[in-house]
């Protein structure tokens, strides 16, 4: 049997290539840039004849349509799924025969979403009747389970989905042998779960004894845990969950639009007409002069996830990116459905003169400098954009806490709170704080700086922390 996990670290997302050595290949939960699967098919000499999703993903735009178009493969979804495109519905215990040895068996596992399914992989040549592995999507992670609250507002409550989820886990996944390998849809860093382990492969037996969500006494305890402590979902999640069920333009069309060079005056005109401008450079370069009204999200970080969290998915989008990295930026945006790119600044950010009146700046301060400012007679306001769990482990005394994922929706409120007072923004390592600085500058907060290196740099410099009262009491 051929079973390969393709893990995309920048999205904490796993997809799978499954093939019979004497038959065909199936791809499960493909990302949108699908060449990697075509290369695997060529390497193994197995044609891709089937493409399947475990569910309609919220955290990325899957590549099922692109892969089906490139290969002619049939699309497969769970029996409860409804979509705009043609697909084969897979009921509970349905099977897909990939060849003489490999069978894929469907397990209906509603909970994370109503249409969620898992795929048990049977290799009759070596494992007998028991499954060798199970591809669990967002139903079961290593160390947690998928959150049940992403469809709230669409007719489902988190509590109802959590009860379905508990039943799916108990009756379907935990009925599998302990030695069954578990290949989940996500790893650590994903917003689809709360406490995912760093290992992207585990076993049913390991999860049975160590996964906190599976060691609870009853369904009510499971529901309470599943529905509590879920952070705000990134803004693009609700869009992607819907778009994955719809027909849409292929990624190739997105790349073609992004390759269009735009002169400086065209970029300014588009911006003034309501387009978003996304600066993806090194943070030092952006802080030293970024276009007024632009948003900074660096390519070197978790670029797509944060861009989808802070950029309007409906507005035209212009990229400020080095010309040789246009395709990289547009591909990564396309992976989460940010398909509205209309072009990039011709010549890249270097085309902006350092004395350009359209540039704005923010300071990058060392932890020692921030300590000195906070000890002065006129200390700045500290804005901490980390998540609640991070803040609960300690924060700078007197800081204002607004998770970055919530900042775009609360930008006007936060800007009014900060007013004209000097503000220093901090996060974990400095990436999110720079994004926040660019948003605050858009909102008219003129005296804004970031703590370079974030909370890690603050602790390394001996900075004191407290546990905020609102966090300690919650």
């Amino acid at each position: 049997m051929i079973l390969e996990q393709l893990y995309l670290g920048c999205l904490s997302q796993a997809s799978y290539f499954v093939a019979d050595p004497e038959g065909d290949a199936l791809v499960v939960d493909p990302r949108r840039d699908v060449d990697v699967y075509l290369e695997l098919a060529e390497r193994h000499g197995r044609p891709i004849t089937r493409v399947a999703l475990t569910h309609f993903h919220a955290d990325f735009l899957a590549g099922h349509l692109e892969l089906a178009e490139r290969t002619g493969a049939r699309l497969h979804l769970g029996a409860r799924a409804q979509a705009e495109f043609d697909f084969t519905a897979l009921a509970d215990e349905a099977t897909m025969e990939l060849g003489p040895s490999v069978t894929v068996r469907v397990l209906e596992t509603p909970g994370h979403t109503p249409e969620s399914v898992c795929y048990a992989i049977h290799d009759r040549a070596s494992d007998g009747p028991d499954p060798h592995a199970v591809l669990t999507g967002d139903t079961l992670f290593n160390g947690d389970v998928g959150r049940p609250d992403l469809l709230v507002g669409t007719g489902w409550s988190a509590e109802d989905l959590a009860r379905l989820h508990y039943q799916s886990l108990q009756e379907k996944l935990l009925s599998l042998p302990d030695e069954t390998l578990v290949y989940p849809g996500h790893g650590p860093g994903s917003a689809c779960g709360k406490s995912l382990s760093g290992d992207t492969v585990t076993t049913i037996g390991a999860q049975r004894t160590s996964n906190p969500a599976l060691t609870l006494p009853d369904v009510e305890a499971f529901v309470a845990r599943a529905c509590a402590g879920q952070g705000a979902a990134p803004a693009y999640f609700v869009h992607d969950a819907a778009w994955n069920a719809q027909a849409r333009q292929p990624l190739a069309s997105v790349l073609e639009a992004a390759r269009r060079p735009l002169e400086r005056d065209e970029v300014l005109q588009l911006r003034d007409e309501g387009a978003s401008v996304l600066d993806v450079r090194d943070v030092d370069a952006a802080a030293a002069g970024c276009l007024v009204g632009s948003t900074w999200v660096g390519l070197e970080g978790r670029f797509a996830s944060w861009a989808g969290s802070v950029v309007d998915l409906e507005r035209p989008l212009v990229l400020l990116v080095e010309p040789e990295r246009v395709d990289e930026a547009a591909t990564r945006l396309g992976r989460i459905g940010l398909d509205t790119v209309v072009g990039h600044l011709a010549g890249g950010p270097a085309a902006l003169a350092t004395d350009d009146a359209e540039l704005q700046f923010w300071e990058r301060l060392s932890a020692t400098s921030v300590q000195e400012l906070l000890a002065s007679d006129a200390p700045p306001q500290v804005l901490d954009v980390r998540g609640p769990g991070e803040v609960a482990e300690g924060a700078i005394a007197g800081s204002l806490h607004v998770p970055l994922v919530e900042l775009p929706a609360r930008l006007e409120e936060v800007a009014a709170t900060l007013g004209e007072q000097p503000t220093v923004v901090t996060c974990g390592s400095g990436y999110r704080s720079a994004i926040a600085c660019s948003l605050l500058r858009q909102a008219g907060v003129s005296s804004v700086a970031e703590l370079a290196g974030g909370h890690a740099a603050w602790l390394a410099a001996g900075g004191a922390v407290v546990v905020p009262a609102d966090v300690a009491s919650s």
Side-chain angles (χ1 to χ4, degrees):
M1 181 179 67
I2 301 164
L3 172 55
E4 295 204 27
Q5 180 188 71
L6 297 96
Y7 193 74
L8 190 60
C10 60
L11 287 178
S12 303
Q13 183 261 332
S15 54
Y16 296 91
F17 181 94
V18 186
D20 190 303
E22 300 178 27
D24 298 339
L26 160 74
V27 176
V28 177
D29 291 340
R31 64 188 191 233
R32 205 169 171 200
D33 44 320
V34 298
D35 284 349
V36 63
Y37 311 108
L38 302 177
E39 292 165 2
L40 275 176
E42 183 176 1
R43 186 202 315 161
H44 291 296
R46 299 295 95 202
I48 298 172
T49 59
R50 301 173 190 263
V51 180
L53 299 183
T54 54
H55 64 290
F56 292 131
H57 299 272
D59 60 305
F60 72 101
L61 200 56
H64 51 296
L65 299 182
E66 281 84 358
L67 196 52
E69 181 181 2
R70 298 277 294 274
T71 64
R74 284 186 290 166
L75 295 177
H76 298 268
L77 300 169
R80 301 189 188 196
Q82 296 182 338
E84 290 183 355
F85 47 83
D86 291 333
F87 67 93
T88 299
L90 299 171
D92 191 43
E93 294 298 326
T95 59
M96 294 182 281
E97 305 291 340
L98 299 185
S101 299
V102 179
T103 298
V104 179
R105 179 166 58 95
V106 179
L107 306 176
E108 277 196 292
T109 52
H112 175 66
T113 66
E115 80 285 350
S116 288
V117 295
C118 297
Y119 298 104
I121 313 299
H122 293 258
D123 185 2
R124 295 186 298 277
S126 58
D127 294 305
D130 291 332
H132 173 79
V134 59
L135 313 184
T136 56
D138 289 20
T139 299
L140 177 62
F141 299 132
N142 185 0
D144 202 358
V145 297
R147 59 194 294 175
D149 62 318
L150 296 180
L151 294 183
V152 172
T154 64
W156 289 91
S157 72
E159 291 77 12
D160 286 344
L161 285 172
R163 287 187 174 86
L164 287 175
H165 203 155
Y166 179 83
Q167 183 177 0
S168 295
L169 291 165
Q170 296 295 321
E171 297 181 3
K172 299 295 178 63
L173 293 183
L174 291 181
S175 69
L176 299 175
D178 280 352
E179 61 270 21
T180 307
L181 294 172
V182 173
Y183 288 93
H186 296 290
S190 171
C192 295
K194 289 183 288 190
S195 54
L196 280 62
S197 168
D199 295 327
T200 58
V201 182
T202 181
T203 65
I204 289 293
Q207 293 308 295
R208 193 190 308 276
T209 59
S210 66
N211 189 318
L214 303 184
T215 57
L216 298 167
D218 54 37
V219 63
E220 294 307 321
F222 177 88
V223 171
R225 182 188 183 278
C227 295
Q230 298 288 2
Y236 72 93
F237 271 34
V238 66
H239 296 275
D240 280 15
W243 289 341
N244 273 316
Q246 298 174 4
R248 48 167 170 76
Q249 66 173 327
L251 181 62
S253 298
V254 180
L255 297 182
E256 182 180 357
R259 292 169 185 151
R260 176 190 170 204
L262 301 167
E263 297 302 322
R264 174 186 176 281
D265 289 346
E266 292 180 278
V267 172
L268 296 181
Q269 181 179 349
L270 285 165
R271 179 203 62 185
D272 294 344
E273 292 173 351
S276 300
V277 179
L278 184 61
D279 190 332
V280 307
R281 290 176 293 167
D282 173 82
V283 65
D284 288 319
C290 62
L291 198 64
V292 170
S294 64
T295 301
W296 179 85
V297 184
L299 266 177
E300 306 309 324
R302 294 181 69 86
F303 170 66
S305 296
W306 284 115
S309 300
V310 301
V311 175
D312 191 323
L313 274 70
E314 305 294 339
R315 293 185 182 184
L317 179 64
V318 177
L319 296 176
L320 297 187
V321 58
E322 287 78 6
E324 67 273 14
R325 302 190 77 178
V326 169
D327 277 13
E328 177 189 355
T331 296
R332 293 176 67 182
L333 294 173
R335 287 173 179 161
I336 57 97
L338 230 172
D339 284 4
T340 58
V341 182
V342 296
H344 66 279
L345 176 64
L352 297 173
T354 56
D355 61 349
D356 196 323
E358 289 287 347
L359 295 186
Q360 61 188 16
F361 313 88
W362 70 84
E363 288 188 90
R364 307 194 73 223
L365 302 175
S366 68
T368 302
S369 297
V370 174
Q371 288 173 359
E372 293 172 354
L373 288 171
L374 291 175
S376 70
D377 293 335
Q381 172 65 59
V382 176
L383 173 63
D384 191 331
V385 297
R386 293 177 298 155
E390 296 169 283
V391 172
E393 295 179 358
I396 297 173
S399 53
L400 174 66
H401 310 124
V402 180
L404 180 58
V405 71
E406 298 179 14
L407 185 57
R410 298 177 57 187
L411 193 54
E412 186 175 332
E413 165 209 335
V414 173
T417 299
L418 296 175
E420 298 297 323
Q421 63 184 317
T423 300
V424 176
V425 188
T426 186
C427 65
S429 63
Y431 186 77
R432 286 171 288 175
S433 58
I435 298 172
C437 282
S438 71
L439 295 175
L440 292 170
R441 293 292 280 127
Q442 283 182 41
V445 179
S446 58
S447 181
V448 61
E450 61 165 309
L451 197 169
H455 197 66
W458 177 262
L459 294 176
V465 297
V466 299
V467 177
D470 57 338
V471 175
S473 62
S474 63

